[in-house]
Amino acid sequence: MRPGVLWLIAGLSLSIAGCAATQPEPSGPPPLSEASFNSRILELESQLMQQCDARADLQSRQLDEQQVLTADVREVGSLLRYLRKDVQQLEARDDEPVIIREECEVDESLTTKTLLGRSEWVGLPSMGTYLKARVDSGANTSSLSASDITRFERDGEDWVRFKLALNEDDIAVESQRDEWIEAPIVRRVRIVQASGEESRPVISLLMTLGPIRENVDFTLNDRTHLDYPVLLGRRFLMDIALIDVAGTYLHDRPEFPGGESPDQAAEDEAADEDDTEE
């Protein structure tokens, strides 16, 4: 055999061997096992069912809202028809409309109570004097300005002796300013303040204020550092009075022998319009 033919056969053999050695590897993921395939199918079915359920819920809600909206529209339409009918009837009458006024019910308990301003004149017949009083629903017990408070015993009962504690500007019957006053103690109250606790005697005095004539419990303490020698609290106001905080001296000052004239009382009230709150 010729040498050229041998070389040709050898070259072809090498080419075939090289192609076999460089065959490309297969691409893509390896084939799934049967178990993996079934698991993936179940997962896709579950996702599809969830999407279908969500879409069904949305359609149901939309249907409910549409039904409610339809009912509202029908109700509005019915109201409009009635309104048009009423308007047509009024136009057909061609006269003035009839106005029906509804009377409000009045609480009868309010008509039995006396209206008081935030400041009032009070009379103390047992002392023979009038004094200015602050009406304050924030205080529980009423209070009377007193000094030289002395406790003593009479017939086995606790009594107290005191004088009215008044400033020079406080208005009262002059002859009663320095008079001693005696009264039985009905009880004692404990007062808690920033400076500490103290016990104050409570006495009952007849008091007049406009149409009111009542026995009122007063605690005794020095009120000369305050604007009013008398404070009227909730115990006095309960069931008999209401407060008009915008008004002052809604009732006339009671008169006592030796007191100032009613004209002077009016001047005192006018001067007190700019009083400060306690």
Side-chain angles (χ1 to χ4, degrees):
M1 183 177 295
R2 294 181 185 181
V5 174
L6 293 174
W7 284 106
L8 179 61
I9 293 172
L12 290 173
S13 298
L14 290 174
S15 298
I16 294 171
C19 290
T22 59
Q23 183 177 0
E25 297 181 357
S27 60
L32 293 175
S33 64
E34 182 179 357
S36 299
F37 177 79
N38 292 334
S39 175
R40 180 58 178 167
I41 291 298
L42 291 175
E43 182 181 353
L44 293 175
E45 288 179 351
S46 177
Q47 293 178 356
L48 182 60
M49 290 179 63
Q50 291 178 358
Q51 293 177 357
C52 291
D53 292 341
R55 178 171 299 180
D57 291 341
L58 178 60
Q59 291 176 348
S60 177
R61 288 198 300 269
Q62 290 176 344
L63 180 60
D64 292 341
E65 293 176 356
Q66 183 178 0
Q67 291 176 348
V68 172
L69 181 60
T70 302
D72 291 342
V73 171
R74 289 175 179 174
E75 183 177 0
V76 172
S78 177
L79 293 175
L80 287 175
R81 286 194 296 272
Y82 283 116
L83 181 60
R84 291 194 185 98
K85 183 177 179 181
D86 292 340
V87 171
Q88 291 173 357
Q89 290 177 352
L90 290 175
E91 291 177 347
R93 290 173 54 182
D94 196 21
D95 56 5
E96 293 294 329
V98 177
I99 300 176
I100 301 176
R101 292 183 173 86
E102 182 178 357
E103 296 184 357
C104 299
E105 295 183 359
V106 178
D107 188 351
E108 293 183 358
S109 64
L110 299 180
T111 62
T112 61
K113 296 182 179 181
T114 302
L115 186 63
L116 305 178
R118 65 179 184 273
S119 304
E120 291 289 353
W121 288 104
V122 298
L124 300 172
S126 62
M127 300 181 186
T129 187
Y130 42 72
L131 294 170
K132 286 184 177 181
R134 166 71 75 186
V135 183
D136 185 3
S137 61
N140 184 30
T141 307
S142 301
S143 179
L144 176 66
S145 185
S147 62
D148 301 321
I149 301 172
T150 305
R151 177 182 171 276
F152 66 97
E153 187 174 319
R154 175 177 292 174
D155 299 330
E157 297 182 353
D158 291 332
W159 281 59
V160 67
R161 180 184 297 111
F162 64 95
K163 292 182 179 181
L164 290 175
L166 302 176
N167 295 313
E168 293 183 359
D169 295 337
D170 291 331
I171 301 170
V173 176
E174 288 296 326
S175 61
Q176 304 301 316
R177 280 181 175 268
D178 296 322
E179 290 294 316
W180 284 101
I181 304 161
E182 296 180 351
I185 298 175
V186 297
R187 68 177 190 278
R188 302 186 72 88
V189 295
R190 187 180 66 175
I191 305 299
V192 179
Q193 296 178 327
S195 58
E197 296 184 6
E198 64 173 309
S199 177
R200 295 177 183 174
V202 179
I203 63 172
S204 181
L205 295 174
L206 179 63
M207 189 197 78
T208 61
L209 196 172
I212 299 174
R213 186 179 179 88
E214 295 281 341
N215 285 314
V216 181
D217 287 351
F218 291 97
T219 60
L220 299 178
N221 63 294
D222 191 340
R223 295 176 53 85
T224 52
H225 61 290
L226 301 173
D227 294 329
Y228 292 83
V230 177
L231 176 71
L232 297 179
R234 290 192 302 274
R235 285 179 176 267
F236 161 73
L237 298 169
M238 193 175 299
D239 299 329
I240 65 172
L242 298 171
I243 305 175
D244 177 7
V245 295
T248 56
Y249 305 107
L250 303 183
H251 302 279
D252 294 335
R253 187 189 71 183
E255 300 303 324
F256 293 95
E260 296 177 344
S261 65
D263 293 338
Q264 183 62 43
E267 294 179 7
D268 295 335
E269 294 170 7
D272 195 37
E273 288 296 328
D274 297 330
D275 62 343
T276 57
E277 295 186 359
E278 297 185 12

